[in-house]
Amino acid sequence: MSEKLSRDELAQLVARDIKPGAFVNLGIGQPTLVSNYLTAEQDVTLHTENGMLGMGPEAHGDQIDEDLINAGKIPVTELPGASYFHHADSFAMMRGGHLDVCVLGAFQVSATGDLANWHTGAPDAIPAVGGAMDLATGAKDVYVMMSLFTKDGKSKLVPECTYPLTGVGCVTRVYTNDAVFLISSEGVRVRETFGTTVEELQSKMDVKLLPPLGE
Amino acid sequence: MLNIAATAAEAVAGIHDGATVLIGGFGNAGQPMELIDALLACGATDLTVVNNNAGQADAGLALLIKERRVKKIICSFPRQSDSWHFDAAYRAGEIELELVPQGNLAERIRAAGAGIGGFFTPTGYGTMLAEGKETRVIDGRGYVLESPIYADFALIKALKSDKTGNLVYRKTARNFGPIMASAAKQTIVQVSEIVETGQIDPEVVITPGIYVDTVVKIEPHAQAPAAQEANQ
């Protein structure tokens, strides 16, 4: 593709890659955008860690109910077929490998799929982990959505994370505005690039990149 | 036998200094605001509080922290845009924080209620939240040993109780309620409605009355100012 993807185009791409019938948890922030692009035909069921399957879109006006919120504490709606359960069940569902995909943001991802997304490690920062570690560890596939480079041009896909880890070897795909990366035991493979080339990316990254299959 | 308290103040009257108190709720959903207000008024201090968060804005748990009645909080997500009372207490070194991944927090509470002495969980393995904890590799996967969280009291909110303490909840306000009810020596529940025994279909009971010690009816209009404002 000839241009870098916008945030919405990236969300659309992630949505398209989610298999029909999947049970999915979307993290707070950028991953939430993915829900805007899931189609009815995909029949994807959204899980929210505070005890619900079958979460619908954000609630507005008269729909707002303080007893019906998502993990970001935003009022949401319920879809036909929804169910409620307590917190231990919600996380057992996650840890037990019943969720097909979770989509999370990240500060850094390592070449072996380690995830750092909860803490900058700054000494004055108040740490808060929420459900990030459980999601990273539990879902069958962990997709990360992030910008590939920091504001000062450093790659966030790194040989080893320097920020405190959320989970070890858990990330299977990294969606960025510049490229999609697949992480497996063979290494980091570029699936596709947007407005750049593998060679150009490789010149800015310390992680060894494998070319797209078929090239 | 179920104690049906006339007021929130009467319901929490037994909570003593130094108690460990599980407080239900995820954000404001399911947070037993009136019971927390009563706890604030009753004066108990040096509390260890277990909640997912560390209080929002100027209500409920946030006020307990503001008044320095909480010596330690065990939670997963203290820092929020409106957690200013916790932030101030924490930066002043006036509250101890035990940070626990949310699923481990839930499972530790569940374990206490279920008589489990500890469990190996993959969550947190290889991270700084597992430092100092026993780990084990089982079938090639790393796990961390976590311990149950027992408590003296649980303060939770449900939609409805019958006179034997069987509870039903409402939507995502259920969250930590059922597991907290099982993990405390004394479980105190605020409900919108108390019905006669037999009026709740046994098939829909979420928390059986065996876990519940005290219920108090709090008029729902007093419980839901936020929703009313939002609907205006």
Side-chain angles (χ1 to χ4, degrees), chain A residues 65 67 87 124 126 130 137, chain B residues 76 79 91 102 141 170 172:
Chain A
D65 179 335
D67 288 340
H87 245 81
D124 63 336
I126 297 175
T137 308
Chain B
S76 86
R79 186 197 62 227
R91 293 200 192 284
Q102 200 173 139
R141 190 170 195 204
R170 192 164 175 277
T172 58

Side-chain angles (χ1 to χ4, degrees), chain A residues 164-202:
Chain A
L165 292 188
T166 306
V168 177
C170 54
V171 178
T172 51
R173 285 187 195 181
V174 182
Y175 288 84
T176 75
N177 311 85
D178 297 283
V180 177
F181 303 92
L182 308 176
I183 301 181
S184 69
S185 53
E186 64 168 16
V188 178
R189 185 174 294 283
V190 180
R191 190 182 81 176
E192 56 193 309
T193 59
F194 313 111
T196 183
T197 62
V198 177
E199 294 69 29
E200 191 184 350
L201 289 175
Q202 185 67 81

Side-chain angles (χ1 to χ4, degrees), chain A residues 64-205:
Chain A
I64 292 173
D65 179 335
E66 66 165 8
D67 288 340
L68 181 47
I69 60 173
N70 67 13
K73 306 187 176 76
I74 307 291
V76 291
T77 51
E78 66 185 25
L79 296 177
S83 54
Y84 297 105
F85 31 85
H86 65 63
H87 245 81
D89 278 351
S90 183
F91 282 82
M93 196 177 283
M94 202 182 279
R95 203 188 303 108
H98 304 281
L99 290 182
D100 296 295
V101 177
C102 83
V103 185
L104 297 169
F107 297 142
Q108 286 176 328
V109 176
S110 85
T112 54
D114 294 352
L115 172 68
N117 78 347
W118 73 282
H119 191 19
T120 61
D124 63 336
I126 297 175
V129 66
M133 289 187 179
D134 306 274
L135 277 168
T137 308
K140 285 182 200 157
D141 271 305
V142 176
Y143 296 172
V144 160
M145 274 176 92
M146 66 177 189
S147 56
L148 182 53
F149 299 103
T150 62
K151 288 196 180 91
D152 52 1
K154 291 200 175 67
S155 173
K156 292 157 73 174
L157 181 52
V158 291
E160 266 188 74
C161 294
T162 53
Y163 287 128
L165 292 188
T166 306
V168 177
C170 54
V171 178
T172 51
R173 285 187 195 181
V174 182
Y175 288 84
T176 75
N177 311 85
D178 297 283
V180 177
F181 303 92
L182 308 176
I183 301 181
S184 69
S185 53
E186 64 168 16
V188 178
R189 185 174 294 283
V190 180
R191 190 182 81 176
E192 56 193 309
T193 59
F194 313 111
T196 183
T197 62
V198 177
E199 294 69 29
E200 191 184 350
L201 289 175
Q202 185 67 81
S203 71
K204 299 177 190 169
M205 296 172 65

Side-chain angles (χ1 to χ4, degrees), chain B residues 12-23 35-51 60-75 86 89 94-98 149-155 188:
Chain B
V12 305
I15 301 184
H16 50 81
D17 291 355
T20 295
V21 185
L22 308 173
I23 299 182
L35 290 178
I36 301 170
D37 289 346
L39 177 59
L40 191 65
C42 88
T45 193
D46 280 330
L47 302 171
T48 294
V49 168
V50 184
N51 181 261
L61 176 54
L63 294 181
L64 270 183
I65 292 170
K66 180 189 178 195
E67 299 299 326
R68 300 297 187 266
R69 305 274 284 285
V70 181
K71 71 172 177 196
K72 177 178 179 181
I73 187 149
I74 304 175
C75 71
F86 170 79
E94 291 169 354
I95 190 166
E96 185 188 339
L97 169 66
E98 181 179 343
I149 298 175
Y150 299 100
D152 300 302
F153 298 93
L155 303 183
I188 302 163

